[in-house]
Amino acid sequence: MGSPANTHHDAHGHGHHDPDHGHGDHHDHAHDHATMLGGGHQHGPARHDRAFAIGIAVNILFVAAEAIVGWRVDSLALMADAGHNLGDVLGLVMAWAGAFAGRIAPDERYTWGWKRASILAAFANALLLLVAMGSLVWVAIVRLQAPEPTQPGWVMLVAAIGIVVNLGTALLFLRGRHDDLNIRGAFLHMAADAAVSAGVVVAGALVLWQGWLWIDPVASLLIAAVILVSTWQLFRDSLHLMFDGVPRSIDLDAVRAELEALPGVDCVHDLHVWASGTTEVVLTAHVVMPAGHPDDDFFRAAALRMKERFAIGHVTLQASTEPLMAACSGPKAPPASSSDLALHASTH
């Protein structure tokens, strides 16, 4: 797993308790908003507003130019590709909307904010890509059965421009594709289009050279197959996170072992790890500490260890001297009283 960024994080805690009661459950809540989903180096979630704005604007211009050229030279292929690229613009708009919604501050109605919107945007982008590639496969199969003559010169020229536009847009999201599933979706969308355009250029060159009309649909099928593999992974990852699955970068057994290795911890149960969005991982767990309840330093150290080892930035631990669930051996503790100790430690 990655190491923390070279940034300073202040830790502070505050607590309250009834002086007549020193037993019961002990809760800690720790979070660090500089955590990213998927492990690796930890940085604050980057904003890609400028990349989205440039990418959408450039691609709208390209779609308009491609549609006009396709209409002027009577090229159905270019017109169809213009429609496909319009879908890419919609994909970028969805990804941008998801990223923006994820930054909306939590309130009393939505205590987690709208972070889940970025996961939904990644899922929608994957669906859009799968539908687009499915349509491309269908058209390619039909055209393979009855190849049609094309105007390879114009097709190659427009496709070459498409490579520059789509690859340039994809590069705008290059740095964030490992940190944010939503950004990864936008990157894959544009990289897929660049690959399609490259295939069109090659196919057009072969048509000019050998006159092979069948090469265009065959190239389309090969490109679609490659893109479908990467898109299917994006679809699986986003669907997994939508159902609060443990992020692929997290080894739950290793997390449990790390928590049980903390001083004074006898066992861990009710352990849950999930993603609140595409850039933040959350952990909740119950730790049994027979020797007595820990102080704030214990929770700060636990939160820091989770952040450094697993890039988990939002940690909530509940501590008790006896197990509260059957997952740990030993007698079940009585229900906690209203005077139980509650401490909150946060790292920013």
Side-chain angles (χ1 to χ4, degrees):
M1 306 307 297
S3 59
N6 295 324
T7 56
H8 177 69
H9 297 281
D10 295 327
H12 65 274
H14 63 275
H16 60 275
H17 67 339
D18 186 333
D20 295 328
H21 297 274
H23 304 284
D25 291 339
H26 188 165
H27 300 271
D28 167 79
H29 174 82
H31 59 90
D32 183 346
H33 296 289
T35 302
M36 65 187 174
L37 184 62
H41 298 288
Q42 300 181 20
H43 306 277
R47 295 191 178 189
H48 295 82
D49 294 339
R50 184 169 177 268
F52 278 119
I54 294 175
I56 291 172
V58 172
N59 276 273
I60 287 177
L61 292 175
F62 176 65
V63 167
E66 189 175 32
I68 292 173
V69 172
W71 174 66
R72 292 293 299 271
V73 301
D74 196 23
S75 171
L76 182 61
L78 288 182
M79 293 289 288
D81 193 53
H84 170 68
N85 285 321
L86 181 60
D88 298 334
V89 174
L90 295 178
L92 287 176
V93 171
M94 284 192 298
W96 195 7
F100 177 79
R103 298 200 298 264
I104 297 177
D107 55 28
E108 293 183 357
R109 184 68 174 172
Y110 299 96
T111 57
W112 279 102
W114 290 63
K115 296 177 182 178
R116 186 59 61 95
S118 59
I119 297 178
L120 295 176
F123 180 74
N125 233 328
L127 277 181
L128 194 60
L129 263 175
L130 288 174
V131 171
M133 290 302 103
S135 300
L136 181 63
V137 168
W138 176 260
V139 173
I141 291 175
V142 172
R143 187 162 295 182
L144 186 60
Q145 295 173 344
E148 299 177 2
T150 61
Q151 299 186 43
W154 278 104
V155 171
M156 289 175 61
L157 175 61
V158 175
I161 297 174
I163 294 176
V164 175
V165 171
N166 292 315
L167 186 58
T169 305
L171 291 176
L172 294 175
F173 302 102
L174 182 65
R175 292 182 57 187
R177 74 189 191 283
H178 295 305
D179 307 346
D180 189 329
L181 194 65
N182 185 35
I183 300 302
R184 177 179 154 200
F187 171 80
L188 282 177
H189 218 134
M190 304 316 302
D193 279 348
V196 170
S197 297
V200 171
V201 170
V202 173
L206 288 174
V207 171
L208 277 177
W209 179 37
Q210 296 289 346
W212 295 339
L213 298 182
W214 54 267
I215 200 68
D216 179 65
V218 169
S220 298
L221 288 173
L222 293 175
I223 294 169
V226 173
I227 295 172
L228 282 172
V229 172
S230 59
T231 302
W232 180 249
Q233 186 63 57
L234 175 66
F235 176 81
R236 288 182 56 190
D237 288 348
S238 56
L239 184 63
H240 180 72
L241 295 184
M242 283 175 61
F243 286 93
D244 291 333
V246 178
R248 288 193 306 118
S249 62
I250 303 295
D251 182 344
L252 199 62
D253 290 334
V255 172
R256 186 187 303 274
E258 195 72 22
L259 289 173
E260 290 181 343
L262 293 171
V265 176
D266 183 60
C267 72
V268 175
H269 63 76
D270 203 23
L271 173 62
H272 302 282
V273 178
W274 73 98
S276 63
T278 53
T279 59
E280 184 175 31
V281 182
V282 181
L283 177 150
T284 63
H286 189 114
V287 292
V288 179
M289 307 183 71
H293 296 300
D295 56 15
D296 289 7
D297 290 338
F298 169 86
F299 291 108
R300 293 192 187 99
L304 182 61
R305 185 171 297 186
M306 292 298 101
K307 184 185 67 175
E308 291 180 341
R309 284 291 311 279
F310 307 103
I312 299 175
H314 196 115
V315 177
T316 301
L317 298 176
Q318 180 184 17
S320 67
T321 57
E322 298 179 4
L324 301 181
M325 298 182 67
C328 289
S329 60
K332 185 176 180 180
S337 65
S338 60
S339 60
D340 289 339
L341 180 62
L343 288 178
H344 301 271
S346 299
T347 57
H348 298 281

